[in-house]
Amino acid sequence: SVSGADKMNGRLGGLVNPWNGRMYSQRYMDILEKRKTLPVWQQKYEFLQVLKNNQTLILVGETGSGKTTQIPQFVVEAVELENHPGKSRKNKMMVACTQPRRVAAMSVSRRVAEEMDVTIGEEVGYSIRFEDCTSAKTVLKYLTDGMLLREAMTDPLLENYKVIILDEAHERTLETDVLFGLLKQVLKNRPDLKLVVMSATLEAEKFQAYFSGAPLIKVPGRLHPVEIFYTKDPERDYLEAAIRTVVQIHECEGPGDILVFLTGEEEIEDACRKITREIGNLQGEQVGPVKVVPLYSTLPPVMQQKIFDAAPPPLTEGGPPGRKIVVSSNIAETSLTIDGIVYVIDPGFAKQKVYNPRERVESLLVSPISRASALQRSGRAGRTQPGKCFRLYTEGSFNNDLQPQTYPEILRSNLANTVLTLKKLGINDLVHFDVMDPPAPETLMRALEELNYLGALDDEGNLTKLGEIMAEFPLDPQMSKMLVVSPSFNCSNEILSIAAMLSAPNCFVRPREAQKDADEAKARFSHIDGDHLTLLNVYHAYKQNNEDPSWCSDNFLNARALKSADNVRKQLMRIMTRFNLKLCSTKFNSRDYYINIRKAMLSGYFMQVAHLERTGHYLTVKDNQEVHLHPSNCLDYKPEWVFYNEYMLTSSNFIRTVTDVREWLVDIAPHYYDLENFPECEAKRVLERLYRAREG
Ligand code: ADP
Ligand code: MG
């Protein structure tokens, strides 16, 4: 027990870990020494004092100052002092620390478990969508902001927690912004609850104003100077320019690791291959060895850990030094701090969410970053010594083209899911819900309208029975709807598999050197009616082959993605069972087997339909946006109507993951395909004929 361990500490000179009564490892001691040098340790006492005397406080500190890893441990210590040893675990309350990114929640909690010398999942745990790594012992929980929001649905006053830390507040994700508003209310009803808001940049005044003058603690930065270089002319191909810059640095600059910011998984993996190849080609010349490591959100945890490995040693004693080259998405901007970076390459782009309520399109778009982001990125070069940042754009562009701050996500998102969550939380008056930056009224209207079409809200905007259940699924409303209605189409088993496959990372592998083989392998799974049923085929084959990883690689399938899909499926199934939603299938040899599945899917996705025009291209229904089938689709013809899972805003607009649907539209969603509020277009005339044919 804690008191027993304390006694032993007295005897053995503080070598026993009070959390588990075990002797502290040497590694613990080593890390502790390093931890104590982090800037936040200078203000540990001040922080605990301010926390004691206030319900809410704001802490601002440079990335890498120890906010995420150290502050929650300080808080846990303080909370444990108050928790009387006699009190049972059950009544003890936890400390929560939110992270906008799954990777950060996982990686940081592992690190903190190591720092506390406990096993991950026991005293320190994490919770992210579809993965709960906590236990009854957990006192410190890292979780995504989205997960905390979901917890509020069943625990409206967040009574499992004594202190909530909202980390990375400067990121202003949709979920964090909603949590701000929610916590403001909860704090009024829970005088014993405390809130710590942590941020990397100085938007602190805004947070202070919002939390009515909460005290602010500033942790002074300890950055070394970073020299900034711009390109003389704009770069045509930033990827190619980034790779070229890496090679140049490696050949010409002094020791130190390199961090390259790119936008997404594919691009990052591609860049890693090219960098390895090009530096390999330099052999014979006087260059050191390199270790190239990718970092992005869907990377498996073992691989994530590699960013913290040391650079390789020189090949020969006294030879040119080895270098670690991290190629990362935005995660490395503020969420994860990598020590030893001396060179940063910033092409100036990131994948960002955009939403246009008029066209109802939400999409991830590679777009220019803000000046604030650019400053954060360059800061990563000066953690341990003076560094250099290479911006692959012109100085004029930095000053004139980049906007000063990134817009909060709440202003560029489809809010249907958020509105459903808020309704479920009992917040009905959305207009007066106190958010830091209120979304456009049009965006709110769109969200209410979509939820009404889906049947989640009635005409007065109240949550329906269907909406209540839909809100329980950690999915988009469309997908939740298709799951909830699937038993009535006698295909909930299959819809579960499809929903799981759509929620997991892409399962198809397409290596550049074996594209043809990969496409042939994919074609063997393909279903004539479209991509969703192809995914179902893959899932079935995966199960039939006993989830065998070597079968997966033989078939150009990503075993990890499929395993994750299988896990997601189990969790979704649990929610289905909890709400007595029947698990059933149509007989496989029935003519209706696939038709039922397609109809169930359409019940969720009837607002994401496109019609093939006589001119040969598709127009989205009602909004009449010209779109193209994404080249990855498995159809060998162009169906008249398709529904799609994803709208990709690029130079030409693609719809991705599509399935052929028929005139079922008018049966399944007559309220949406009601011709009275339908714009004049070819689709309308086709529907008119359909309706007439049915009457006659
Ligand atoms: P902040 O939240 O203020 O940006 P962090 O608490 O994330 O700072 O980081 C503090 C220090 O901990 C940094 O030096 C970082 O490199 C180190 N660190 C974090 N995670 C790991 C890890 N998994 N392995 C090694 N060092 C880590
Ligand atoms: Mg942090």
Side-chain angles (χ1 to χ4, degrees), residues 68 167-168 334-335:
T68 310
D167 196 5
E168 300 273 302
T334 63
S335 295

Side-chain angles (χ1 to χ4, degrees), residues 38 62-69 111 305 308 334 337 339 383:
L38 288 169
E62 190 55 62
T63 304
S65 55
K67 297 184 300 298
T68 310
T69 51
R111 168 68 175 184
Q305 208 51 38
F308 296 107
T334 63
T337 307
D339 293 328
R383 278 271 303 150

